[in-house]
Amino acid sequence: MTVWDALSSYEKAAIRKLALGLDWEIPETVRRRLRSLGLIENGPDSRLTGAGWKLHRANPRRKPGARPRHSLTVNPDEAKGR
């Protein structure tokens, strides 16, 4: 089991929000847990550490069986499956 799998959905969402710079929406209990795991820095900013960024980049939000998106403006026939 990886660290990402051990995190709750709240903790995963908090990592995604911190990566976007939205640190005001994260409860203090989640911040404490992520600090104890070494994924965010101590202090008022609560920025992601190097380990937090690695974890965020290694686990994109895509679903396992999702197909890659095709832009309809590039080639509409290919996107429709023709």
Side-chain angles (χ1 to χ4, degrees):
M1 183 193 280
T2 63
V3 175
W4 188 256
D5 295 333
L7 295 175
S8 71
S9 60
Y10 295 110
E11 293 161 345
K12 291 175 185 177
I15 289 174
R16 289 185 191 109
K17 287 178 183 179
L18 287 170
L20 293 172
L22 305 174
D23 65 340
W24 60 86
E25 299 177 352
I26 301 168
E28 188 58 35
T29 55
V30 174
R31 290 176 197 256
R32 278 191 295 243
R33 166 89 166 124
L34 294 176
R35 273 191 203 107
S36 71
L37 294 172
L39 299 176
I40 63 173
E41 296 176 353
N42 288 330
D45 294 347
S46 298
R47 292 181 289 189
L48 290 174
T49 61
W53 279 108
K54 279 184 181 178
L55 192 64
H56 173 68
R57 287 189 198 117
N59 296 287
R61 195 166 180 183
R62 290 191 50 212
K63 294 181 181 175
R67 298 166 103 188
R69 290 183 169 188
H70 294 286
S71 174
L72 295 176
T73 59
V74 175
N75 190 348
D77 292 333
E78 183 180 304
K80 292 179 183 175
R82 294 182 188 168

